[in-house]
Amino acid sequence: MDILKAVHLKKYYGSGESLVKAVDDVSFGIEKGSFTAIVGTSGSGKTTLLNLIGGLDFADAGEVIIDGHSIMEMSKEELTVFRRRHIGFVFQNYNLISVQNVYKNIVLPIRLDGRKPDRDYIAQICGQLGIEGKMDRYPNQLSGGQQQRVSIARAIAAKPAVLLADEPTGNLDTRTSTEVMGLLKMTSREFNQTIIMITHDDAIAQLADRVIHIEDGKLVREQEVQA
């Protein structure tokens, strides 16, 4: 069953000779619990596509349906609440709050939503990610790889319908990148978490279950990755 559908998405910038078709009539579905990589070079439109899927930007045309809800029909206020409850984000730069410890960083989106954190579930997540002993530490006391583990924990602690990862290994060395990719793959399987990741690195993309290739704003091919 598809947990997410992108239907004829379009996002254009400029006009006339300066027209840029950042996302040009892109459609696809994402199955629940799957790990999908969207691959493209710089300027291919992959980041714009991810922003449209995550409700961080608005499409000129088309529709995004997540867990049965069309985000295109939501007001800004409704979309803000929906994002917080249904979409997890993992960013290249981690986006952790420097003055809060690891635990407070992980539960921040949940508390912003006025909900009580599920401590048992968070303990399970942190145990799987190998950060269970670092709850009282601050981001500047952690390595880049550890900070990204905290970012992943924060993203899935709210039990989102989908997790969107924007170049999650972009600031990491090769060894740590491989570890983080392994953790993302484990997260998808252990917690039945749907993950969509963008990357410019074909080798990194091959660690996902499925690869969608984007060029000049268009979906040019899809590939199922053999386990």
Side-chain angles (χ1 to χ4, degrees):
M1 181 185 77
D2 286 343
I3 192 75
L4 182 149
K5 291 182 181 178
V7 185
H8 298 298
L9 282 180
K10 294 182 180 180
K11 183 67 176 180
Y12 297 170
Y13 298 98
S15 61
E17 293 183 358
S18 300
L19 180 66
V20 175
K21 297 181 178 181
V23 174
D24 192 14
D25 197 19
V26 171
S27 298
F28 57 86
I30 301 290
E31 288 188 5
K32 182 177 176 59
S34 64
F35 183 7
T36 302
I38 299 176
V39 181
T41 58
S42 178
S44 62
K46 63 185 185 301
T47 297
T48 301
L49 178 59
L50 195 78
N51 288 341
L52 297 179
I53 293 170
L56 298 175
D57 199 358
F58 293 95
D60 296 325
E63 190 171 23
V64 176
I65 301 170
I66 298 176
D67 204 14
H69 302 274
S70 174
I71 70 173
M72 311 301 288
E73 298 175 357
M74 297 178 186
S75 67
K76 286 186 177 181
E77 293 75 17
E78 290 171 336
L79 184 55
T80 296
V81 174
F82 184 84
R83 265 200 315 265
R84 200 160 55 221
R85 294 179 178 176
H86 297 274
I87 306 174
F89 293 93
V90 175
F91 298 100
Q92 179 177 337
N93 294 322
Y94 323 131
N95 283 18
L96 301 178
I97 307 299
S98 62
V99 296
Q100 295 195 344
N101 65 24
V102 166
Y103 180 77
K104 288 182 178 179
N105 266 283
I106 291 171
V107 303
L108 180 61
I110 300 171
R111 287 183 167 162
L112 285 175
D113 199 37
R115 291 181 290 148
K116 184 177 180 180
D118 183 339
R119 287 182 173 271
D120 290 340
Y121 182 64
I122 291 170
Q124 183 184 2
I125 293 169
C126 292
Q128 291 281 5
L129 293 172
I131 55 173
E132 67 274 21
K134 303 187 185 301
M135 294 297 100
D136 293 328
R137 300 229 183 144
Y138 289 83
N140 64 3
Q141 297 175 309
L142 304 176
S143 68
Q146 289 169 340
Q147 289 186 65
Q148 195 60 292
R149 289 169 188 240
V150 175
S151 178
I152 294 169
R154 179 184 59 190
I156 64 176
K159 304 177 183 177
V162 296
L163 187 156
L164 305 181
D166 183 2
E167 296 276 10
T169 62
N171 286 336
L172 304 175
D173 59 44
T174 302
R175 176 185 169 188
T176 309
S177 294
T178 302
E179 290 177 357
V180 167
M181 285 301 301
L183 290 168
L184 284 172
K185 198 172 185 72
M186 177 275 295
T187 296
S188 177
R189 292 177 176 172
E190 291 292 325
F191 300 102
N192 197 32
Q193 180 65 65
T194 307
I195 300 175
I196 304 171
M197 174 190 71
I198 65 167
T199 181
H200 65 278
D201 190 327
D202 282 316
I204 290 291
Q206 294 301 313
L207 296 172
D209 304 319
R210 174 190 178 202
V211 181
I212 294 174
H213 295 265
I214 300 290
E215 291 180 12
D216 298 323
K218 288 184 175 293
L219 193 162
V220 293
R221 67 182 184 279
E222 299 183 49
Q223 168 195 357
E224 297 294 331
V225 179
Q226 300 297 321

